[in-house]
Amino acid sequence: MVAITDDIFAPQLAILQDLFSDNVSAEQAAEYLASISLEDESDLEGGITSLWTLIFKCAYQYPEHHDKLVNVLVQLSKLPDAKTSNGEPILLYDMQVWKDLPMFGWQFRDEWNASVPAGPPDARQKAISRIINRDKFTARLMATKEPVFAYSWFALITLRDALETPVDQSSAGNLEALIPAAAAWISILGADIYQWNEGFDGALGKGGPLWKGQHGFCKERWQFWKERFGELATIEVETGDEVRTTARDTGRMMEEIEKSRSTRQISVTLIHRIDYLYKNKFTGDGCVWES
């Protein structure tokens, strides 16, 4: 695996380090990164792929800068359409550079192949950290509501793997990664996920061994996930107290999201009722009540 300090990343990494240090704005960083990535017209795909690889490496190594990485990606997607030196639009696999952030979604698919090795301990912990930061970063991208970051399927995969597989079919290492990763989706995007009613064709949205319901997102699946977080908070496996506490707190957070949504819906209904009464029961300048 190529290190983040490898010379291949040096020009782009320098820009990102300036971004992290607040020496450049996200808009400026996006312009600089775009220019560097398209310098070699004979290998435009390679330049852009290198940028995506570096951004993921930074997301893993510098989670405290996720917001800045998200912002620079948003700014990249808003840059004018890139063109070659002879004025031709740059398309990669029918995706426009930069609006469509071509191949960025493909990078996500590669990242979701990650797993936790049995050992040694330092490699195991590094893999756990990568998976958790991967999901935090992805959830924050989706929280921007930008159409280019349509990654709900990745949320489903993590929630399914964490919550829909019997404990005896998952290793402690995978649970140590997947429970906090699933919790990150609820923490960052839970109110949205609660409202999602999105299906997926074929096997894309199918459940794990414990879920036989609708493929995709639905209220019933949300309820099942909430119950599973509660169950996982009490399991006797070598996940550590912190993971069990995360599971318990996430289940409670889901309860609060439901209550908040119900309260909001009651408030909206009440406002509509007041509007109706005002329009239909009051007349004249003096607001006379009609009997």
Side-chain angles (χ1 to χ4, degrees), residues 103-235:
M103 304 176 295
F104 190 57
W106 299 357
Q107 183 81 29
F108 272 98
R109 281 185 175 267
D110 289 343
E111 300 302 325
W112 249 259
N113 291 326
S115 61
V116 179
D122 57 340
R124 184 170 173 272
Q125 191 54 51
K126 184 176 180 180
I128 290 171
S129 177
R130 282 173 61 91
I131 289 172
I132 295 170
N133 285 326
R134 174 198 70 186
D135 284 75
K136 286 181 178 179
F137 182 54
T138 312
R140 288 188 172 111
L141 284 170
M142 280 210 68
T144 66
K145 304 295 195 298
E146 295 288 340
V148 71
F149 304 126
Y151 299 144
S152 60
W153 183 71
F154 296 110
L156 185 65
I157 295 303
T158 292
L159 289 160
R160 181 182 72 191
D161 290 350
L163 304 171
E164 297 177 1
T165 300
V167 171
D168 59 7
Q169 294 181 25
S170 296
S171 69
N174 278 335
L175 286 174
E176 281 187 81
L178 290 172
I179 292 175
W185 282 100
I186 301 301
S187 175
I188 295 168
L189 214 60
D192 293 281
I193 294 173
Y194 180 59
Q195 294 299 311
W196 288 351
N197 186 22
E198 181 181 3
F200 292 90
D201 294 334
L204 286 176
K206 72 176 182 179
L210 298 177
W211 175 254
K212 306 301 181 185
Q214 176 180 318
H215 288 199
F217 294 95
C218 60
K219 289 292 195 303
E220 293 77 16
R221 204 167 188 177
W222 167 279
Q223 290 295 330
F224 177 78
W225 291 336
K226 182 180 69 175
E227 292 169 6
R228 283 290 290 155
F229 271 121
E231 293 169 5
L232 290 168
T234 63
I235 57 173

Side-chain angles (χ1 to χ4, degrees), residues 17 43 95 106 139 143-144 166 172 188 208 211 233 258 262 267 289:
Q17 288 174 331
D43 188 20
M95 291 178 279
W106 299 357
T144 66
I188 295 168
W211 175 254
E258 292 172 15
S262 297
S267 298
W289 182 266

Side-chain angles (χ1 to χ4, degrees), residues 34 37-41 44-45 48 81-100 102:
S37 301
L38 299 180
E39 278 181 341
D40 184 359
E41 287 197 12
L44 296 173
E45 181 175 340
I48 292 175
D81 292 345
K83 296 181 180 180
T84 62
S85 56
N86 61 7
E88 293 293 323
I90 300 177
L91 297 174
L92 293 173
Y93 303 98
D94 295 323
M95 291 178 279
Q96 175 65 55
V97 180
W98 292 96
K99 180 182 68 175
D100 299 325

